[in-house]
Amino acid sequence: MTKVILQVYPTLGAEDKMAELRPIGRNNQAWQDMLAGLVDVAKAADDLGYWGLTHVEHHGHSEGMEVSPSPLMLNIYLSHFTRRLRHGQLGLVLPAHDPVRLAEEIALADHMMQGRLFVGMARGYQARWQNVLCQKYGVTSTASDQSEADQRNRLLFSENFTIMKMAWENDLLRYNGPTYQVPFPFEGIKNWPPAETITRPYGVPGEVDENGTLQGLSAIPKPYTSPHPQLFQAFGASPGTLRWCGEENVTPTILMGSHEKLRQLMEIYLEGANSRGRSPAFGEGIGVCRTFYVYPNGTPEDEVRARIRRSVELYEAPVWQGWYAQFGFMEGARLDGEEGPVPKPGEHLADRLINSGLLIGGTVDDVKRQVAGFLQKMPIDYFVWLFHWGMIPPEEGLPMLELFANEVMPEFDLDAAPRTASAATV
């Protein structure tokens, strides 16, 4: 059964508001409005049967786009307004965090949400904030270019991931790696004052030795979900990332339009899984990013085309062309065998997103046909809907969520939760 996750970044306002309230990222009322809007979309997603709602991790975005400096806090906050919806991040930038502290914070959030948390991970690509926050770790943002910075970033990502899993799965954490030790120093922390009175009789067996020296650390709490919440990788699109996801049983969320390239990446995922003794079916454990625009049946074809182009110009272009393209993400829209710039000079962004497969749009029946064609070739577990909440206004976004949930999702068994028809009036 394919599940649908709403990737809600969110944004503090469309471009007119970004200009009027510059810097909107420091505007308190804009934040209050955004939080209220997130509650609305979370309630709607919960009522309508969507599987999950997710945010990113970014810091210092004064422009007001992709504002989510503490996604775990947003997860916990929004979970209080929902009953069954899962909440997560795509993703937490692991090299920007202490791994033990993050493991504990994730576990605590998992308890607060009683198992409705999923965890996405990323390496980080934005120098403006990552270089600042990570300076004490000696790591920066990077492209996947095998440079020294790239290798350092990969090292910390991999090591922090390993430490987090060990912290979740073991009562006593001991780790001796290239950049991190538990305990520190690894030979032990001597002269722990309450060794005999409290830790030896009540702590983890072996936590303190007969000389009063601490030999490890117990990350508390352990997760509510055993052994840990479901793990995702944010926007993976490289062979190395897909192989790692297969090896570690992490769900990649792939930003790629080309079916041929998608198939290649999904097969690499299978190779990684098989190397660790797992045998998932083709598409099992895979997420793919898409944007959807769906309109009622009977809407004239020329009106559908005009509405999609208008929506792309208003709600997609500021993100795709003003933001994504600047970081190289438009590569996901490159056609098979194509060379040169993407989009081509003079090409409308809507045409590029549609022709590349990144945007699925039209009437209900149009969208059904496109989804059916995709799932027949790529029987994936997750659609990640890039839903630019804050750019797209509620009066357009919420009815579209309802139409997709009530008319498209049941056709493909995309959900299993009871739905209401009142979400558009939230």
Side-chain angles (χ1 to χ4, degrees):
M1 177 187 299
T2 305
K3 307 167 187 68
V4 183
I5 300 173
L6 296 179
Q7 172 82 353
V8 179
Y9 290 94
T11 296
L12 291 173
E15 285 186 292
D16 58 342
K17 285 293 185 184
M18 291 164 64
E20 176 189 351
L21 300 177
R22 178 182 180 186
I24 196 172
R26 298 277 295 176
N27 186 282
N28 285 346
Q29 188 58 53
W31 275 90
Q32 289 298 308
D33 293 342
M34 181 273 287
L35 290 172
L38 279 181
V39 171
D40 289 344
V41 76
K43 287 181 176 179
D46 191 45
D47 289 342
L48 291 166
Y50 288 89
W51 186 86
L53 182 72
T54 182
H55 318 286
V56 293
E57 179 188 2
H58 287 307
H59 304 267
H61 283 194
S62 64
E63 310 90 348
M65 295 182 67
E66 295 189 349
V67 290
S68 185
S70 184
L72 278 172
M73 290 184 69
L74 282 180
N75 296 153
I76 295 166
Y77 176 66
L78 294 175
S79 72
H80 289 292
F81 299 94
T82 60
R83 303 181 308 277
R84 47 151 298 282
L85 185 71
R86 294 165 179 83
H87 299 263
Q89 338 75 30
L90 291 172
L92 293 164
V93 179
L94 296 196
H97 296 272
D98 178 274
V100 174
R101 187 185 190 104
L102 186 59
E104 290 188 329
E105 290 178 351
I106 288 170
L108 184 57
D110 193 34
H111 274 271
M112 292 177 175
M113 298 166 64
Q114 295 187 320
R116 288 193 290 134
L117 178 72
F118 60 97
V119 176
M121 300 169 292
R123 290 208 296 135
Y125 64 93
Q126 293 192 10
R128 172 170 60 177
W129 67 263
Q130 193 169 356
N131 289 12
V132 175
L133 269 63
C134 298
Q135 58 184 296
K136 62 183 179 181
Y137 304 124
V139 67
T140 63
S141 68
T142 181
S144 297
D145 56 7
Q146 301 303 311
S147 64
E148 183 177 347
D150 181 33
Q151 294 303 312
R152 175 71 178 179
N153 186 293
R154 288 179 184 274
L155 171 62
L156 262 70
F157 176 90
S158 177
E159 186 172 36
N160 286 0
F161 174 76
T162 298
I163 294 167
M164 286 168 56
K165 287 191 69 177
M166 291 177 65
W168 289 329
E169 296 172 3
N170 297 277
D171 288 342
L172 187 64
L173 172 63
R174 283 180 54 81
Y175 178 82
N176 188 11
T179 75
Y180 203 93
Q181 294 180 338
V182 182
F184 182 79
F186 189 67
E187 294 73 25
I189 301 172
K190 296 181 179 180
N191 302 319
W192 175 237
E196 297 300 327
T197 57
I198 296 293
T199 303
R200 187 187 298 279
Y202 307 122
V204 176
E207 186 173 357
V208 63
D209 67 17
E210 64 278 4
N211 298 316
T213 299
L214 290 167
Q215 295 295 329
L217 180 69
S218 182
I220 55 102
K222 72 176 183 180
Y224 182 89
T225 305
S226 181
H228 50 71
Q230 186 172 349
L231 303 177
F232 289 76
Q233 175 73 19
F235 290 11
S238 71
T241 296
L242 267 293
R243 180 177 294 278
W244 179 84
C245 286
E247 292 170 350
E248 297 292 345
N249 195 16
V250 172
T251 296
T253 55
I254 309 172
L255 182 62
M256 181 65 67
S258 163
H259 286 194
E260 179 180 341
K261 294 173 184 175
L262 263 177
R263 177 172 291 276
Q264 292 171 358
L265 291 171
M266 291 162 66
E267 289 174 348
I268 290 171
Y269 173 89
L270 289 179
E271 293 173 3
N274 293 338
S275 73
R276 296 292 179 87
R278 295 195 307 115
S279 301
F282 180 74
E284 183 181 350
I286 297 290
V288 171
C289 301
R290 288 294 183 265
T291 292
F292 296 91
Y293 279 93
V294 56
Y295 305 100
N297 283 332
T299 307
E301 183 177 347
D302 57 347
E303 182 180 340
V304 168
R305 176 178 171 82
R307 291 177 68 178
I308 290 178
R309 292 175 81 84
R310 172 185 172 274
S311 293
V312 167
E313 290 167 359
L314 291 176
Y315 316 133
E316 303 295 328
V319 180
W320 284 95
Q321 293 181 321
W323 198 256
Y324 289 171
Q326 312 310 314
F327 294 106
F329 289 158
M330 281 303 302
E331 282 299 307
R334 185 175 294 280
L335 306 178
D336 292 334
E338 182 181 25
E339 297 182 357
V342 178
K344 294 185 180 301
E347 181 182 14
H348 197 285
L349 179 62
D351 295 332
R352 170 58 59 160
L353 294 178
I354 292 169
N355 293 336
S356 68
L358 288 176
L359 189 153
I360 295 176
T363 65
V364 167
D365 286 343
D366 293 335
V367 171
K368 284 181 180 179
R369 282 192 291 271
Q370 293 174 66
V371 171
F374 180 88
L375 291 178
Q376 185 176 11
K377 297 177 181 178
M378 311 286 175
I380 58 172
D381 274 353
Y382 299 92
F383 272 126
V384 179
W385 182 344
L386 304 181
F387 190 67
H388 296 138
W389 186 253
M391 286 287 181
I392 184 170
E395 60 270 19
E396 294 187 40
L398 292 177
M400 196 149 22
L401 290 181
E402 183 172 348
L403 192 62
F404 187 87
N406 289 335
E407 301 294 333
V408 177
M409 286 163 62
E411 185 83 4
F412 303 97
D413 202 21
L414 290 182
D415 71 314
R419 302 181 306 278
T420 70
S422 61
T425 60
V426 170

